Amino acid sequence: MSDKYKVIVVGMGKRGMHHARAFHDNGRFELAGVCDVDPARLDAAAGFRTAKSRNALELALAVKPDVFCFCTLPHIRTEMIRTAIKAGARLIAFEKPVALTSREGMEIRKLLNESGTKAVVSHQHRYGKHYRRVKEIVASGALGHIHTIYATASGWMFHMMSHLIDYMRWYNGNTEAQWVMAQATGDGKLSDSHPSPDYIGGFIQFENGVRGIIECGAGAPDVPEVDYWWRKCRILVQGSDGFAEVLTGGGWRAVTMTGAFAGPGCMSYDLDMPPYVQDIARWLDDDRNVHPCNFESAYAGFEIMMAFCRSAVEGGQVLLPLAQAADELAMLRAYLAGRTAQLATAAHLKEYVRVEEKMVGVRS
Ligand SMILES: NC(=O)c1ccc[n+]([C@@H]2O[C@H](COP(=O)([O-])OP(=O)(O)OC[C@H]3O[C@@H](n4cnc5c(N)ncnc54)[C@H](O)[C@@H]3O)[C@@H](O)[C@H]2O)c1
């Protein structure tokens, strides 16, 4: 009998292939099956000599995996969680975002808690050496008393904000948030597979007094140090004695009382996935080795994102943790209809429609 953890990967698109490769290449795991509803995607995964299926439940019940990994688009999270639990998986590894509404996020959390299933959410950028360097600098005390963390991304909310909040929370010692206040505009990306406002921004009050500031999407500033558009993300930690920042596609830098420092680093699936997957084995080996990307941590970040949406629609400060479930997506669809976002930079033209173009489109 194999002493490896059996894994199946469902959804063999871009991220499914990354996960399958990382599990396959790690000696602690046996890639026991892959699944996609699209036969072309299964063909593309032919290189993995493992069971192939177009039905996740059938595959999971046949394989009885230790780890049920799914990398589907965000609209079928609950269905996949139920499938994994039904098959008796010990750990579920899935992609951000946690869910599209707090109603679904709360349901997923309930299912995981009731079944006692471990879960991790793929906020794997934190394994980048530049991300870790900033964490080390913050933890060393070289920035003095931390008071502000600012995070920005060009990509839209359900793609990028999940990441930004996760790393902001990490740099802030996973301190709980007390409230948020936010604004949002632009209905262009509501029809995307990651349906989001074109632009959302706001503030977070953390329990330790640190101010979080986040902006995501069309109105977010360019990060000119980074060429690749999706990696135009900046997370800046400011303290009484200095600052440190990471750029997802452009290394890190810091200014402290002892000088100015900088170093390289770029988000890389090839580099970030192996340690992410290794930490899954460590957590399965020993309950004390809780994965840094554990569900509870991701859920705390997810609640902040949902609170941003509620504040943007309803106004005012939204208290955390959220007491009631809601359908934030429906709220956003109603609120954002007909609203347009101004672009912060021409760099965003490739992904967002400029206001004037949209008006021309409406007229023609
Ligand atoms: N962590 C990261 O750095 C990162 C980066 C990119 C994307 N993502 C996330 O990964 C997820 C997937 O993104 P992607 O770019 O790989 O998408 P993708 O469209 O390339 O792949 C999704 C796959 O799921 C398959 N699928 C859909 N329904 C299915 C079902 N019921 N059973 C089996 N397969 C099914 C589709 O056919 C498709 O092949 C998204 O949630 C996205 O936000 C994360």
Side-chain angles (χ1 to χ4, degrees):
M1 198 178 122
S2 167
D3 60 352
K4 297 181 177 186
Y5 294 117
K6 276 199 287 184
V7 187
I8 65 169
V9 178
V10 178
M12 291 301 288
K14 174 178 134 173
R15 292 295 290 149
M17 290 294 276
H18 294 159
H19 279 80
R21 171 59 56 201
F23 283 120
H24 175 272
D25 290 351
N26 185 307
R28 300 298 316 283
F29 295 96
E30 173 199 345
L31 184 62
V34 296
C35 167
D36 203 296
V37 288
D38 179 353
R41 289 283 166 99
L42 280 184
D43 287 348
F48 295 112
R49 293 178 184 278
T50 186
K52 310 241 173 12
S53 172
R54 291 175 63 186
N55 185 303
L57 181 60
E58 280 177 19
L59 180 69
L61 292 177
V63 170
K64 295 273 175 203
D66 298 295
V67 178
F68 183 102
C69 171
F70 67 95
C71 303
T72 52
L73 291 174
H75 62 296
I76 49 173
R77 297 284 191 256
T78 316
E79 174 192 332
M80 289 292 150
I81 298 282
R82 285 187 196 281
T83 299
I85 292 171
K86 197 167 184 178
R90 291 176 57 194
L91 186 146
I92 302 172
F94 67 110
E95 267 297 351
K96 41 62 53 175
V98 164
L100 293 176
T101 67
S102 62
R103 189 175 306 289
E104 186 178 24
M106 288 179 188
E107 173 70 8
I108 288 172
R109 189 183 195 206
K110 187 162 164 272
L111 290 168
L112 293 172
N113 285 341
E114 284 174 359
S115 63
T117 314
K118 292 173 177 167
V120 296
V121 180
S122 187
H123 293 117
Q124 83 290 350
H125 296 188
R126 63 166 66 208
Y127 289 92
K129 63 179 180 183
H130 51 326
Y131 273 84
R132 282 184 284 123
R133 186 72 192 110
V134 168
K135 175 64 181 173
E136 285 164 12
I137 292 167
V138 172
S140 75
L143 304 184
H145 170 70
I146 307 298
H147 50 74
T148 307
I149 308 180
Y150 169 70
T152 175
S154 308
W156 47 106
M157 184 183 81
F158 273 121
H159 269 299
M160 296 312 298
M161 197 163 154
S162 190
H163 283 294
L164 296 181
I165 297 173
D166 196 73
Y167 313 132
M168 174 180 283
R169 291 188 68 256
W170 179 41
Y171 289 157
N172 195 29
N174 294 328
T175 308
E176 298 305 328
Q178 293 179 315
W179 52 258
V180 313
M181 192 167 79
Q183 286 272 305
T185 191
D187 63 2
K189 292 299 179 191
L190 284 176
S191 53
D192 185 72
S193 63
H194 293 65
S196 310
D198 292 348
Y199 180 42
I200 187 163
F203 309 105
I204 307 165
Q205 169 81 8
F206 287 103
E207 262 177 13
N208 58 357
V210 168
R211 165 68 64 248
I213 306 171
I214 295 191
E215 49 179 328
C216 211
D222 190 15
V223 179
E225 303 92 327
V226 178
D227 291 332
Y228 186 65
W229 191 82
W230 281 103
R231 294 180 192 152
K232 286 179 177 289
C233 310
R234 181 190 307 278
I235 305 176
L236 166 69
V237 186
Q238 292 179 306
S240 54
D241 295 347
F243 80 86
E245 68 175 12
V246 63
L247 309 179
T248 299
W252 64 274
R253 54 191 170 178
V255 178
T256 72
M257 292 298 189
T258 56
F261 311 90
C266 183
M267 196 282 276
S268 157
Y269 295 116
D270 288 345
L271 295 177
D272 300 344
M273 289 305 291
Y276 170 73
V277 156
Q278 185 62 31
D279 278 344
I280 292 176
R282 290 183 71 248
W283 197 17
L284 285 169
D285 289 344
D286 187 336
D287 288 348
R288 290 168 298 184
N289 297 334
V290 177
H291 198 291
C293 301
N294 67 83
F295 176 83
E296 276 304 312
S297 176
Y299 182 82
F302 168 74
E303 277 208 324
I304 291 174
M305 187 161 66
M306 292 300 96
F308 262 57
C309 297
R310 290 190 196 187
S311 175
V313 173
E314 295 178 336
Q317 292 162 295
V318 174
L319 300 185
L320 290 160
L322 297 175
Q324 302 291 334
D327 183 343
E328 287 80 4
L329 200 49
M331 291 165 70
L332 285 171
R333 286 193 199 287
Y335 175 78
L336 294 173
R339 294 181 194 260
T340 48
Q342 300 288 334
L343 306 193
T345 160
H348 295 345
L349 274 170
K350 71 184 273 291
E351 288 291 349
Y352 301 102
V353 177
R354 200 203 286 271
V355 174
E356 310 87 80
E357 288 171 2
K358 190 169 174 179
M359 290 171 71
V360 170
V362 168
R363 279 192 212 107
S364 61

